[in-house]
Amino acid sequence: MNLRREEFPGLAGGWHYLDSAATAQKPQSVIDACTAALGRDYATVHRGVYARSAEMTLAFEAARGKVAALIGGRADEIVFTRGATEAINLLAYSWPRKGRVLLSQLEHHSNIVPWQLAGWQVDVCPLTADGRIDLDAAEAMLTREHTMVAFAHVSNVLGSVLDVPRAADLAHRVGAMLLLDGCQAAARLPVDVAALGCDFYAFSAHKLYGPTGIGALWGRAELLDAMPPWQGGGAMIDRVTFAKTTYAPSPQRFEAGTPAIVEAIGFGAAADYVGAIGLDSIHAHEAGLVAALRHALRQRNDVTLFGPEQSAGIVSFVMDGVHPHDLGTILDEEGVAIRAGHHCAQPLMDHLGVPATARASFGLYSDESDIAALLRGIERTRRIFG
Ligand code: PMP
């Protein structure tokens, strides 16, 4: 794969950015699309009677179509949200059959806390020894009381990839819906929601080389249509009177207020960008880097690696006698950025028996030089800590 590193101004100066799972750097095409939308082309959407607004509305709705196409959905099945977090909150609050939800031990807090807050009974599926969601256990746990199964498609800590067709089959056998938290997967794997068989898919633009402040909830049209609105305001209504208000069809019903116009257009540009490169190429590229880094770290007797061998773009580890935060600080002095901490997955840290891990995560622009710099930094850290 052509690395196209020069298309990412955020990487100028040879920075070894290994924190793409937190947020990805932006290509110039996305920056340019946002700049034009915020400047030359700027106007509101859906309401204006003048040409600029009509053009902006077309661009905004075209972005919805691009985002939908990236995951194999239809434009009217994409609800724009502030991000994956808001997408999961929307579903947890609005799904009409609240009951028991089956989550897993490796979920990000944003796929745990919304269910707790919205009053669901939460059950937790354990993991296999190598850190994948244990679907045999899920099969044994699921009952007719479960109305939702909500799993990460790719773990943000371990990189483990869910066997989605099997998870969908298990959920549907008991009459439950399957939500995938696709925050990491959408940027790392080809996703086709129809082929996967899931019912809802939540993801954020900023992990997908797009802007912050926007993401999406994809849902099958008939399911979104059956859901009541969750926030009220402009743009989500059909007719308002003090006696009775009726609502717009989905997805507008879930998009109260002036939307994130510029960000949506940037999201569309990001979908175009990764779509043109191809997520299968991105996946293969990152898989090669994961294999190389895991192999190098296994040569050291002072490193513990977590997660399965076949992980998607993400490698978590700890070094004996070195807190991940200290490692992160020393690596920063070497121009290497990793993430150190609990990664918004405290239940997973409890399961692993560590307070934190160091995490290196790749993007389409990462290469062997990033791995070499990381390994040099690890070696220097060893010399400092003895
Ligand atoms: N789920 C996973 C697996 C994530 O990695 C993240 C971001 N770290 C989120 C959900 C939340 O995404 P956002 O903060 O963009 O809403």
Side-chain angles (χ1 to χ4, degrees):
M1 199 181 81
N2 170 9
L3 273 184
R4 312 165 79 132
R5 236 175 145 106
E6 72 291 351
E7 292 173 18
F8 290 80
L11 296 175
W15 193 34
H16 296 292
Y17 185 66
L18 290 171
D19 200 17
S20 295
T23 197
Q25 297 292 328
K26 317 304 171 203
Q28 192 62 49
S29 61
V30 167
I31 299 170
D32 290 346
C34 291
T35 305
L38 196 56
R40 188 185 72 197
D41 300 338
Y42 189 71
T44 194
V45 292
H46 294 148
R47 296 179 188 78
V49 292
Y50 43 89
R52 174 83 73 87
S53 174
E55 281 157 19
M56 203 56 167
T57 304
L58 284 179
F60 178 80
E61 291 302 331
R64 195 191 300 278
K66 294 172 182 189
V67 171
L70 188 72
I71 61 160
R74 276 176 18 202
D76 65 347
E77 297 174 325
I78 290 285
V79 179
F80 281 134
T81 62
R82 269 196 315 117
T85 299
E86 192 178 68
I88 298 170
N89 274 274
L90 191 172
L91 188 63
Y93 279 93
S94 295
W95 183 245
R97 287 175 58 228
K98 272 190 203 150
R100 298 184 90 97
V101 58
L102 182 66
L103 307 177
S104 85
Q105 188 75 40
L106 59 66
E107 299 308 316
H108 188 280
H109 296 163
S110 61
N111 194 27
I112 300 174
V113 185
W115 304 102
Q116 293 174 325
L117 280 175
W120 291 70
Q121 273 191 284
V122 171
D123 293 315
V124 185
C125 181
L127 306 182
T128 60
D130 66 352
R132 288 169 298 117
I133 298 174
D134 184 345
L135 292 181
D136 291 336
E139 182 167 14
M141 290 176 80
L142 278 167
T143 67
R144 290 252 151 219
E145 279 177 44
H146 291 97
T147 55
M148 189 70 67
V149 175
F151 287 161
H153 190 179
V154 166
S155 159
N156 66 310
V157 179
L158 304 173
S160 2
V161 183
L162 180 69
D163 175 354
V164 179
R166 177 154 185 230
D169 179 49
L170 296 179
H172 294 156
R173 266 198 243 163
V174 296
M177 298 289 113
L178 176 66
L179 163 72
L180 294 182
D181 172 354
C183 229
Q184 297 298 337
R188 304 180 184 286
L189 302 173
V191 172
D192 178 345
V193 285
L196 288 171
C198 60
D199 302 291
F200 295 98
Y201 203 87
F203 56 120
S204 291
H206 71 99
K207 313 236 189 215
L208 197 59
Y209 310 95
T212 51
I214 192 153
L217 177 68
W218 169 85
R220 286 196 281 121
E222 69 272 20
L223 301 178
L224 291 176
D225 281 339
M227 283 164 58
W230 80 304
Q231 289 176 343
M236 50 76 72
I237 53 85
D238 168 39
R239 173 87 178 102
V240 179
T241 67
F242 283 109
K244 180 177 162 62
T245 291
T246 52
Y247 308 112
S250 62
Q252 282 74 26
R253 184 191 310 170
F254 302 107
E255 296 179 358
T258 303
I261 303 167
V262 174
E263 291 78 358
I265 287 169
F267 196 178
D272 276 348
Y273 185 81
V274 294
I277 296 172
L279 275 148
D280 39 3
S281 311
I282 296 173
H283 180 57
H285 174 69
E286 292 186 8
L289 295 172
V290 164
L293 177 57
R294 291 186 72 98
H295 175 76
L297 291 177
R298 259 200 312 271
Q299 310 310 307
R300 303 189 61 96
N301 56 14
D302 61 348
V303 166
T304 305
L305 270 169
F306 300 107
E309 284 309 306
Q310 308 290 319
S311 67
I314 297 171
V315 178
S316 267
F317 60 96
V318 291
M319 266 183 93
D320 293 349
V322 183
H323 193 284
H325 284 154
D326 292 326
L327 174 62
T329 305
I330 296 170
L331 287 172
D332 185 39
E333 292 166 6
E334 305 270 314
V336 179
I338 60 153
R339 176 84 179 265
H342 56 61
H343 316 291
C344 298
Q346 288 177 349
L348 176 56
M349 296 298 114
D350 294 342
H351 166 78
L352 297 174
V354 293
T357 72
R359 180 188 72 183
S361 55
F362 300 113
L364 62 89
Y365 36 63
S366 307
D367 69 6
E368 298 281 345
S369 75
D370 299 318
I371 295 180
L374 171 62
L375 295 172
R376 279 196 303 276
I378 288 175
E379 190 47 40
R380 182 169 159 241
T381 306
R382 185 77 282 157
R383 287 200 299 275
I384 292 170
F385 277 80

